[in-house]
Amino acid sequence: MSRLLFWLALAVLVVMAVRSKLRGAGSGPAAPSRRAPPEPPAIETMTSCAHCGLYFPASEAVRADGLDYCSPAHVRLPAK
Ligand SMILES: [Zn+2]
């Protein structure tokens, strides 16, 4: 009888372990709490416009002559 209880307890432990693993898999790296905040957005490199000095994400930059500009209009204007 105690053998049966042992296997029953083992089965319950295995089910609990699998459940907690499945729950953790959906929310990124093994977070200890279920209320972990969502991952912060990737930090993007910032650059400044060579004409007006405005800071903006480098991915939106208009590049000309090795300089970054905020818009195609400022490419045509002289750099400061
Ligand atoms: Zn500009």
Side-chain angles (χ1 to χ4, degrees):
M1 187 59 194
S2 61
R3 245 181 121 85
L4 181 72
L5 282 174
F6 169 76
W7 286 112
L8 199 69
L10 193 72
V12 168
L13 280 173
V14 167
V15 167
M16 279 167 74
V18 168
R19 273 190 174 181
S20 67
K21 264 203 171 161
L22 287 175
R23 213 181 292 149
S27 59
S33 73
R34 265 177 277 160
R35 265 200 233 163
E39 270 186 48
I43 295 160
E44 200 169 354
T45 317
M46 299 295 278
T47 189
S48 62
C49 177
H51 176 71
C52 66
L54 181 83
Y55 278 90
F56 54 95
S59 62
E60 293 169 25
V62 181
R63 290 210 166 84
D65 301 325
L67 294 168
D68 291 331
Y69 295 88
C70 67
S71 62
H74 282 184
V75 173
R76 280 178 254 125
L77 295 166
K80 278 183 185 172

